[in-house]
Amino acid sequence: MSRRHMYLSRRQVLAAVGTVGTVGAVAGAGTSAYLSDRETYTNAATAGTVDIDVACDACSAVGGTLAFGFDDLDRGAAGTLEASISVESNPARLWLRTSCPPETDPLGDAIEGSLTADGTRLATGTLTTISRVLATGVRLDSDCLEPATPFDLELEWELPETVSDTLAGESTTFVVSLVAEQCRHVDEASVADPFAGVEPCAEPPACVECPRSGGKRIASATFEYDGPGGPVGLELVRSVGTSEPGRTVEPGDTFTALLHDPPDIKGNADFDVIVDGTTIGDFHISCSRPFGPGLEITDGTHTLTVLEAVDTDGNRLCEVSN
């Protein structure tokens, strides 16, 4: 995964709760509870035990593992999922890691979100990206958590209106695991990361070059607005078919655009990028010229960078040089 793909850019606050359900139980668990779930479990540590209380909305909580399920979503749905975490016995340090995403997860690749722990943003991007970034674990507290003091975990999410209607009926699950260590008798210099031995997620499937034959097209792309300062008005206008809705962006904002959604777009359609009324670039969904992650679209002042792109067969496009 390139530096571009790992970049954690800023996101605007998402609003309006969408339809979210819990999909299945956490793997390996014999039982699970759904929706407004609450569980207290004991986390054994070398210096003693820590009782952790977890209460979450629209999730499954089993033994310190939280699963947030998504299914039957309409384009444009958005919301915020919350979990309240507290240590119940002794002051403790707290770590979190995500489960690696499956090799193929169309809905996870489409849902955009941001994971925040007690006001600190941990990662942002698609659910797939967040899962990969945090799979080796991260410590949540800056100092030991005091007993019975709530620690909030929030997952803000949105399924953009621009995603393909082929996602209808798809489902996905976002999974995080928690580990706590008692602070008593363990000074900071002796603290060991409980996830130190966890391997990073396997690399995603090999990318393909932007197809120039066979009738394939660029299906969608994720862009980042690099600046200069904003807010600025940004439009993506197709030469045929419908256009993307206009939006207001600031440096670091990302968004995913649907570039080909049959039967609306046919042939070698152009796609113009317009910032504050000025066209800063255009390209072709037919790959008549190189297109993929790393491509910068600029007029010398305003710049937009392609972070990810997918063709109409669902293949991830390889990086390109400008």
Side-chain angles (χ1 to χ4, degrees):
M1 186 172 294
S2 70
R3 182 186 63 82
R4 273 289 174 192
H5 294 161
M6 295 286 287
Y7 181 74
L8 307 183
S9 59
R10 295 178 297 133
R11 293 280 299 148
Q12 295 177 336
V13 176
L14 307 178
V17 176
T19 303
V20 181
T22 303
V23 183
V26 177
T31 60
S32 61
Y34 300 99
L35 298 180
S36 294
D37 201 352
R38 189 179 193 96
E39 183 194 37
T40 299
Y41 70 97
T42 299
N43 185 179
T46 55
T49 60
V50 179
D51 292 329
I52 302 178
D53 183 73
V54 178
C56 57
D57 179 30
C59 80
S60 167
V62 180
T65 299
L66 312 182
F68 299 93
F70 299 82
D71 61 17
D72 195 27
L73 296 180
D74 291 329
R75 290 184 287 190
T80 301
L81 303 178
E82 300 178 348
S84 179
I85 305 163
S86 60
V87 294
E88 297 301 306
S89 46
N90 297 297
R93 303 176 180 92
L94 187 64
W95 286 264
L96 170 149
R97 72 174 293 260
T98 52
S99 295
C100 289
E103 183 175 301
T104 303
D105 186 3
L107 188 57
D109 293 341
I111 294 176
E112 299 178 2
S114 178
L115 186 64
T116 303
D118 223 31
T120 299
R121 181 166 297 169
L122 302 179
T124 188
T126 65
L127 291 187
T128 297
T129 298
I130 295 173
S131 295
R132 287 185 173 278
V133 168
L134 300 177
T136 54
V138 62
R139 184 171 167 179
L140 298 181
D141 65 292
S142 57
D143 198 1
C144 292
L145 300 179
E146 293 298 323
T149 301
F151 186 94
D152 296 325
L153 188 69
E154 292 186 347
L155 176 63
E156 298 174 338
W157 65 273
E158 178 183 40
L159 183 64
E161 295 183 357
T162 55
V163 300
S164 172
D165 59 7
T166 59
L167 290 177
E170 294 285 348
S171 62
T172 190
T173 307
F174 181 77
V175 181
V176 302
S177 298
L178 301 170
V179 170
E181 177 189 68
Q182 182 175 270
C183 290
R184 186 178 299 172
H185 309 307
V186 181
D187 58 41
E188 280 294 325
S190 303
V191 173
D193 183 352
F195 298 127
V198 175
E199 294 291 332
C201 298
E203 287 297 315
C207 62
V208 300
E209 298 295 332
C210 194
R212 300 189 184 186
S213 62
K216 297 181 178 63
R217 300 287 186 268
I218 306 167
S220 64
T222 299
F223 300 88
E224 177 185 39
Y225 178 65
D226 298 322
V232 298
L234 189 147
E235 295 178 274
L236 303 175
V237 181
R238 302 185 184 109
S239 59
V240 296
T242 58
S243 296
E244 289 280 320
R247 67 195 79 221
T248 300
V249 296
E250 297 184 36
D253 284 349
T254 65
F255 61 93
T256 300
L258 179 66
L259 308 185
H260 183 79
D261 191 14
D264 293 335
I265 304 176
K266 298 179 180 179
N268 299 328
D270 293 329
F271 202 84
D272 296 336
V273 181
I274 302 172
V275 177
D276 279 349
T278 299
T279 299
I280 69 169
D282 67 90
F283 49 88
H284 307 281
I285 64 171
S286 63
C287 291
S288 59
R289 57 177 175 168
F291 184 89
L295 177 67
E296 290 186 351
I297 303 171
T298 181
D299 62 351
T301 301
H302 302 91
T303 302
L304 207 67
T305 300
V306 179
L307 300 183
E308 296 178 347
V310 178
D311 71 11
T312 49
D313 283 344
N315 299 311
R316 185 171 57 90
L317 300 187
C318 296
E319 291 193 11
V320 299
S321 298
N322 286 294

